[in-house]
Amino acid sequence: MMALSKWILRSLMERYRLPWMCRNMCASAPLVGVQTQPRPREIQEDTANSIKTDTRKKYFADKNVLPFSEFLTDTFGRTHNYLRISLTEKCNLRCQYCMPTDGVELTPKQRLLSTEEIVKIAKLFVSQGVDKIRLTGGEPLVRRDAIEIVQELGRLNLRCLAMTTNGIVLKRKLPALKEAGLNLINISLDTLVPAKFEFITRRKGWQRVMESIDAAIDHGYKPVKVNCVVMRGFNEDEIVDFVDFTKNKSVDVRFIEYMPFDGNKWNAHKMVPFQEMVSTIRHKYPDFEKVPDEVNNTSKAYKVPGFLGQVGFITSMSNIFCGSCNRVRMTADGNLKVCLFGNTEVSLRDAMRSGMSDDELLQLVGGAVGRKKKQHAGMFNISKMKNRPMILIGNNLVYDLKINNERHLRIHGPNTILTGLAINARNMTLTGYPRLYSTKDAKPSLTHIDEAGKAKMVDVGNKAITNRTAVAVGQVFLGAEAFKLVSENKMKKGDVLSTAQIAGIMAAKNTSNLIPLCHNININKVVVELELDTNEHRVNIKATVSNSGKTGVEMEALTAVSIAALTVYDMCKAVTHKMLISDIKLLSKTGGQRGDYHHT
């Protein structure tokens, strides 16, 4: 009966995502012999009205759960005691899976977190239970004050202070890092072949990385973790060689499934799944065996008996481990990411620079963690989602913040993605909406895609009714012969221009039947105009659509132009197939909450 009650309670929590239930239980459930501070009155009252203390005690009676900060506990009961901080967007390598071919637009220095801000954020998270911090990049060691930051964080009595580095300059800086308190190192190395290294990183340096691995072992780091991204057609033939690398070295080689990030041209064929890698290794080492994993570890640990080191597999794509996720990320420009694959971010940098107190920052953090999804979208959906390039792990956003209704703060956050944000955490309200974008690659999130990457229709029920107009244009290049027949109205199928005009009008009125996620709306007026350009042997098409409603008519205008152009093509294809439909675009729109738009 108790097991059934637990299952029902957990199902309700997950189905309805009851934050008060899950958070207060996971964050505050007392254990025998453990004294906890009384919670604020409002939380006590909420809990008393919703779930009895006896029930909480029974639920956690057989679980190894300690009281944990409510701000770092999500609605699924996951506690986040691991913070990853990116020190810089810069890197001295150009790895193909990490950086787009044409590079990335770096954030101006003044918009990156300062040393003091990094330490402030770290202290804030440590005060709430974080006991592991990892410094990443870019390449963290290209930041001039990297050792100083390690020294400051080393004073926080962390269980683990780690760094992920490409190893290019690690050997030289390792003694100072060790003295500063760094006690765990991950070194990225995707190949044991120098020529391949130069190909994938677009730089030289393989020997320096190997020397850094040996130096880390000599300085007592045990094990030294070696991160290897496996890509079919590049290094999947070295999987067994990397296993052999663990024979006489105290290293933990972690094979990482190739993951999609903006600009790295990911596709499923390049990704080598975990089970295939295991099968490849067991072909040479049949006794390759599973060994116990550390708590909350993303890596599935394996070992060849008798080898000094071991192997792990990070299966982000083929076998997700979201249920045990305990980490959050801080980007170099101060944005909090609660999921590596998520495109929702909150700018703590802007919040700090606006003068928010620590308590207010915690409310902001708690709101972000509270909205963390149960799991990421899955392999094929992830590949279609907008996310930062790995080296940057956005969009410029304006959001308004009210605290106790006393302060009204507008924060402009370049490279900040905050899709559909609405925090109502005790005394703070934060609402966000997309605006202009500060980088050439940044794009708005897709409103017709849900968290799992599936199609959805936007709810316009709460939108205001406004007058809206959209104008779209397009062109059809006919060629001399077809153009002559159209202009003289001698095409065998009839009057091309009149037929295309009617087709465009009909298409505008039937847009919701043609475009699945478009709303069926009332249209006030549709005007489709076709004009002949004698010099270019071209038909210019223009559609103007207007309505009074809760959603715009851009799609109706674009559909009208598209169908009119296709009708022209259809009526002329008996004469020639060398026609070109070109430059169909939205020329302008007016009305709606996002304001007017004019193509330039």
Side-chain angles (χ1 to χ4, degrees), residues 161-432:
L161 178 56
M163 177 179 288
T164 298
T165 170
N166 60 30
I168 295 294
V169 299
L170 175 63
K171 180 181 178 182
R172 173 166 52 88
K173 298 187 177 185
L174 196 53
L177 290 169
K178 178 79 172 180
E179 184 178 353
L182 190 72
N183 54 26
L184 181 64
I185 293 178
N186 289 50
I187 301 175
S188 299
L189 179 66
D190 301 316
T191 178
L192 297 172
V193 180
K196 280 188 180 181
F197 178 91
E198 187 172 342
F199 170 77
I200 193 66
T201 66
R202 305 184 183 109
R203 297 290 188 274
K204 297 181 182 295
W206 180 86
Q207 186 60 42
R208 295 167 70 181
V209 178
M210 297 299 290
E211 291 173 357
S212 290
I213 293 174
D214 290 337
I217 295 173
D218 292 342
H219 277 79
Y221 289 94
K222 185 178 181 180
V224 175
K225 295 186 177 182
V226 177
N227 294 345
C228 175
V229 178
V230 181
M231 293 162 283
R232 194 181 306 280
F234 172 70
N235 62 351
E236 85 278 13
D237 59 332
E238 295 186 65
I239 292 174
V240 173
D241 295 335
F242 270 103
V243 175
D244 291 337
F245 188 65
T246 70
K247 184 175 182 178
N248 299 311
K249 290 182 183 291
S250 180
V251 295
D252 180 357
V253 174
R254 294 142 59 89
F255 294 116
I256 303 172
E257 292 179 340
Y258 183 41
M259 297 179 285
F261 292 97
D262 205 25
N264 73 351
K265 299 180 180 179
W266 182 91
N267 67 64
H269 300 294
K270 289 184 180 180
M271 198 274 290
V272 182
F274 150 63
Q275 291 294 351
E276 181 180 332
M277 288 189 264
V278 172
S279 297
T280 298
I281 296 168
R282 282 181 173 158
H283 186 72
K284 180 175 180 179
Y285 297 108
D287 56 350
F288 185 60
E289 62 182 4
K290 184 77 177 68
V291 295
D293 297 322
E294 298 177 11
V295 177
N296 296 119
N297 203 337
T298 60
S299 178
K300 296 173 173 60
Y302 283 75
K303 185 180 180 68
V304 176
F307 279 24
L308 187 60
Q310 66 179 41
V311 171
F313 300 89
I314 298 180
T315 60
S316 303
M317 305 304 292
S318 67
N319 191 349
I320 63 175
F321 38 81
C322 302
S324 61
C325 183
N326 68 327
R327 66 204 60 203
V328 292
R329 290 170 168 80
M330 180 63 55
T331 64
D333 55 354
N335 289 339
L336 180 67
K337 285 177 70 77
V338 296
C339 176
L340 175 63
F341 293 106
N343 58 8
T344 301
E345 305 177 1
V346 178
S347 178
L348 296 188
R349 175 204 63 201
D350 290 343
M352 283 191 299
R353 294 181 184 180
S354 72
M356 288 180 66
S357 68
D358 286 354
D359 288 342
E360 292 164 350
L361 287 172
L362 284 175
Q363 295 280 4
L364 197 59
V365 170
V369 173
R371 291 187 306 281
K372 185 170 182 175
K373 305 303 179 184
K374 183 177 181 181
Q375 64 186 51
H376 65 61
M379 178 169 64
F380 293 100
N381 289 322
I382 286 175
S383 66
K384 300 172 185 176
M385 293 172 63
K386 180 70 180 177
N387 199 0
R388 292 181 179 226
M390 185 62 176
I391 195 169
L392 295 181
I393 307 252
N395 308 0
N396 187 15
L397 179 111
V398 177
Y399 52 92
D400 295 320
L401 183 64
K402 290 183 179 179
I403 302 170
N404 289 327
N405 291 319
E406 295 177 359
R407 177 189 300 161
H408 187 217
L409 172 66
R410 175 162 287 189
I411 302 174
H412 295 260
N415 296 326
T416 303
I417 305 173
L418 202 56
T419 306
L421 177 66
I423 302 176
N424 290 296
R426 295 183 186 170
N427 61 343
M428 181 172 69
T429 300
L430 179 67
T431 56

Side-chain angles (χ1 to χ4, degrees), residues 21 38 44 62 69 75 93 108 111 123 158 179 188 295 320-321 422 454 480 535:
M21 183 184 294
Q44 292 178 350
D62 59 348
S69 166
T75 55
L93 298 180
R111 302 201 67 85
K123 289 180 177 179
L158 294 165
E179 184 178 353
S188 299
V295 177
I320 63 175
F321 38 81
K454 297 180 180 180
N535 294 329

Side-chain angles (χ1 to χ4, degrees), residues 118-119 122-124 126 130 133 151-159:
I118 290 173
V119 174
K123 289 180 177 179
L124 186 71
V126 170
V130 164
I133 292 178
Q151 289 174 334
E152 291 293 331
L153 300 184
R155 300 187 178 104
L156 300 182
N157 296 319
L158 294 165
R159 172 180 59 86

Side-chain angles (χ1 to χ4, degrees), residues 25-38:
M25 289 175 63
C26 294
S28 307
L31 297 179
V32 177
V34 178
Q35 294 183 350
T36 60
Q37 295 296 322

